[in-house]
Amino acid sequence: MDWTTLVATLLGAAIAMSTSLAVEIRKARHDNESEWRRTRREIYAEYLTALTQARWELSGVAANSRLSDADRRAKANEIFARCYQIRHQLELYAPSAVVAPAVTYFRTLRDFRNAIREGLRDGAPNPDPQSEYSRHVSDVKTKFERCRDAMRADINPRGSPPDPSPAPE
């Protein structure tokens, strides 16, 4: 084998190896990004579920006129306590574009909890849409929507899927 053939063979092998390495690097990067997206998707679902469940349970406390003040405060605290752990997980995994609206949603729900602890009632069976309770509920729902939309944009960066049918009130 002459010198030019040897160089050409070695160069060909080096190109083939570098091409294979580049493909493997791209595949590993894609797999890593997919895993991060899957992890965030799971945390986002858990976060929204936990906070939405807390909202519904807090609404139940606000509607229950038979609870004493002490029982109402204790129940509201117990309900909301479950939200802290998932919030901290979200803050570890989510980008700031998601953390900001997620924390705002969390704080708005916490304000709702605090108002219920202090005696806020829902006015059932005939709630007034201008009442403090209705304003709290509306604010919580608005912050939920912003949080959900930020999460959708993060886990589907090429464009969020179309909105599903509207959630029941």
Side-chain angles (χ1 to χ4, degrees):
M1 180 180 292
D2 70 3
W3 184 251
T4 57
T5 305
L6 179 61
V7 169
T9 302
L10 290 174
L11 186 58
I15 291 171
M17 285 177 50
S18 66
T19 301
S20 293
L21 184 58
V23 168
E24 287 301 314
I25 289 171
R26 275 196 304 272
K27 183 181 181 296
R29 186 176 295 137
H30 178 268
D31 291 348
N32 189 34
E33 288 172 6
S34 294
E35 179 65 22
W36 270 100
R37 194 171 5 270
R38 184 188 64 75
T39 299
R40 287 193 317 266
R41 185 173 51 245
E42 290 171 3
I43 289 171
Y44 295 171
E46 188 177 342
Y47 186 82
L48 293 177
T49 299
L51 271 66
T52 299
Q53 181 67 34
R55 179 179 58 130
W56 283 107
E57 290 180 28
L58 288 168
S59 293
V61 171
N64 188 343
S65 60
R66 294 176 300 217
L67 286 174
S68 69
D69 290 346
D71 288 342
R72 183 179 54 255
R73 282 190 296 276
K75 187 70 175 162
N77 287 339
E78 175 189 327
I79 290 166
F80 195 72
R82 298 184 302 250
C83 300
Y84 283 94
Q85 181 179 1
I86 190 62
R87 174 189 164 187
H88 296 306
Q89 288 178 20
L90 180 125
E91 288 182 278
L92 285 174
Y93 286 93
S96 60
V98 171
V99 171
V103 169
T104 298
Y105 174 39
F106 177 91
R107 289 177 178 156
T108 302
L109 186 60
R110 186 181 59 199
D111 292 344
F112 182 52
R113 186 260 339 243
N114 291 344
I116 290 169
R117 287 178 60 207
E118 298 304 315
L120 182 69
R121 301 278 187 224
D122 76 348
N126 300 311
D128 173 7
Q130 301 302 315
S131 72
E132 181 183 357
Y133 179 85
S134 294
R135 286 191 300 277
H136 271 284
V137 169
S138 177
D139 197 24
V140 167
K141 287 179 181 180
T142 298
K143 299 307 189 295
F144 163 82
E145 290 166 0
R146 289 180 186 157
C147 177
R148 180 202 57 211
D149 292 348
M151 290 173 173
R152 280 183 180 162
D154 180 49
I155 59 176
N156 191 9
R158 290 172 183 78
S160 296
D163 283 341
S165 58
E169 291 294 321

